[in-house]
Amino acid sequence: AAHKYGEYKYYYHDIGIVYDNKPYAVTIMTLEGNRDFVNKVRDINSHIYELHNLYYSNREKSCRLEVYGE
């Protein structure tokens, strides 16, 4: 992944590109974290990554079933 973050007072933003088999971009803009922004963003990003993988896994299974009936 490549990312850039910005922090000012209680604002924290992170934007990045995840170079996965199916690359995607992610932007996180938050006021949450109480100076624990890095861990909050890691947690959010891990959930996004799980959803990304689940989406493509389900898509592959569903499309294969619809097209090939397997």
Side-chain angles (χ1 to χ4, degrees):
H3 77 106
K4 173 71 175 120
Y5 71 91
E7 179 182 354
Y8 179 71
K9 293 185 180 179
Y10 45 83
Y11 298 102
Y12 187 88
H13 308 317
D14 199 330
I15 185 168
I17 301 171
V18 179
Y19 297 106
D20 192 43
N21 290 336
K22 307 266 193 272
Y24 63 96
V26 61
T27 301
I28 300 169
M29 304 169 84
T30 185
L31 299 172
E32 302 297 321
N34 299 326
R35 308 302 300 165
D36 191 24
F37 298 119
V38 173
N39 287 326
K40 286 288 185 185
V41 168
R42 273 193 197 127
D43 184 48
I44 292 167
N45 193 50
S46 70
H47 290 291
I48 292 169
Y49 183 72
E50 287 175 26
L51 288 171
H52 173 77
N53 287 331
L54 181 63
Y55 169 78
Y56 278 102
S57 175
N58 286 340
R59 181 178 162 192
E60 185 176 307
K61 290 174 189 171
S62 296
C63 290
R64 178 173 281 296
L65 182 61
E66 285 183 34
V67 173
Y68 300 107
E70 296 175 1

